[in-house]
Amino acid sequence: MECRLDGQVAVVTGGSSGIGRGIALLYAQAGASVVVNYYSGHEGAAEVVRQIEAGGGRAIAVEADVSREADVEALFAKATGAFGAVDILVANSGIQKDAAFAEMSLQDWQKVIDTNLTGQFLCARAAVRLFRAQGERGVSKATGKILCMSSVHEVIPWAGHVNYAASKGGVSLLMKSLAQEVAGERIRVNGIAPGAIRTAINKESTEGEAAQRLLKLIPYRRIGVAEDVARAALFLVSDMADYVVGATLFVDGGMTLYPGFEDNG
Ligand code: BGC
């Protein structure tokens, strides 16, 4: 049996690049109509839409700042306007604004929390409201699915990145608490915690000598690619994972396995 999403509509935030782009493309291949949300990456989003359409799929690109309530409402209105419904939300938009703790500006703290955590709250709330209004659509065993993009840094503390780590720690319990609250309505909420995935967000640490240092933190000795996360993301929203509720799937090559202890500690 394959993971298929035929007849379903997916909203993927931050779908213009990186992990979001990989998910948007794979969901379309699995038969979903995809709403490719972007904030600044207009060209990237348009390219994802072009690729999906070239493969015979359906997609639209929609600009929205996920941290702004009005933008999120408009995003979901455009999604239903174009495709009639939404069955899947991938709350994926995320940013990093790194700084040593004492040097971190309030603005950089706030911006990361706004996008990574408040953005997921606003998008998930819009999705839950819509799933309730839609009711059963007969396209999936669940009434709706929400996937929260977290990070290994929901559990691994990260010096120099406290805003990011705090946002992902928040995503972890946002996801689980929401999963508990709406499971009775057959809305499935889960999360993915990627490790080091080669995308624009970590270009510096995944190239050259830095990449060699990074590989020491990955027992599987490979830096991930967007498709590694996309495949897990497809499984989690498909009916193959119908009994998976409130779980975080770590897609990290073993980064959370305390690699410092590999050689007897
Ligand atoms: C961060 C990346 C980092 C990875 C592993 C991700 O959540 O966005 O920059 O390479 O975690 O540390």
Side-chain angles (χ1 to χ4, degrees):
M1 199 206 277
E2 265 186 281
C3 295
R4 294 293 309 173
L5 302 176
D6 299 292
Q8 300 187 50
V9 181
V11 172
V12 181
T13 69
S16 57
S17 69
I19 290 173
R21 172 179 183 276
I23 293 175
L25 293 173
L26 192 63
Y27 279 14
Q29 279 176 36
S33 300
V34 183
V35 178
V36 181
N37 157 252
Y38 67 96
Y39 174 52
S40 54
H42 173 76
E43 249 321 296
E47 181 53 35
V48 172
V49 170
R50 269 197 294 277
Q51 269 199 50
I52 290 175
E53 287 176 345
R58 298 202 303 166
I60 56 165
V62 179
E63 183 180 4
D65 176 347
V66 293
S67 71
R68 292 170 57 96
E69 193 171 25
D71 279 27
V72 172
E73 299 307 314
L75 168 64
F76 278 78
K78 283 180 188 153
T80 53
F83 298 126
V86 173
D87 306 289
I88 299 161
L89 163 69
V90 182
N92 165 77
S93 296
I95 55 167
Q96 275 182 229
K97 289 197 174 291
D98 311 327
F101 183 73
E103 271 75 60
M104 187 175 285
S105 66
L106 175 59
Q107 204 184 9
D108 282 357
W109 166 268
Q110 197 72 61
K111 188 84 193 119
V112 169
I113 298 292
D114 283 352
T115 302
N116 298 12
L117 184 56
T118 308
Q120 294 211 13
F121 159 69
L122 288 172
C123 291
R125 192 183 63 175
V128 167
R129 288 175 177 169
L130 188 57
F131 295 158
R132 282 182 182 155
Q134 287 174 181
E136 280 301 315
R137 294 207 330 113
V139 290
S140 169
K141 287 183 178 165
T143 305
K145 280 93 47 139
I146 296 174
L147 188 57
C148 298
M149 197 54 62
S150 184
S151 161
V152 288
H153 298 295
E154 73 168 47
V155 293
I156 302 179
W158 206 14
H161 310 257
V162 293
N163 48 1
Y164 186 83
S167 74
K168 296 301 187 178
V171 164
S172 166
L173 273 177
L174 163 65
M175 183 280 285
K176 287 189 201 327
S177 304
L178 174 59
Q180 190 189 56
E181 191 166 331
V182 299
E185 299 167 75
R186 290 210 285 143
I187 298 172
R188 288 197 302 113
V189 186
N190 288 290
I192 293 185
I197 308 298
R198 206 181 286 283
T199 68
I201 208 170
N202 59 14
K203 203 169 180 322
E204 278 170 26
S205 61
T206 54
E207 285 176 357
E209 270 179 34
Q212 293 312 310
R213 281 197 302 278
L214 182 58
L215 283 171
K216 295 204 175 83
L217 299 175
I218 308 171
Y220 205 57
R221 298 285 181 266
R222 169 165 83 74
I223 293 171
V225 290
E227 292 72 25
D228 289 315
V229 181
R231 282 189 288 270
L234 174 56
F235 166 70
L236 282 173
V237 304
S238 78
D239 280 353
M240 295 276 270
D242 189 54
Y243 205 51
V244 183
V245 174
T248 299
L249 181 50
F250 284 78
V251 182
D252 68 350
M255 194 178 234
T256 37
L257 296 175
Y258 296 95
F261 282 79
E262 256 173 9
D263 194 17
N264 210 21

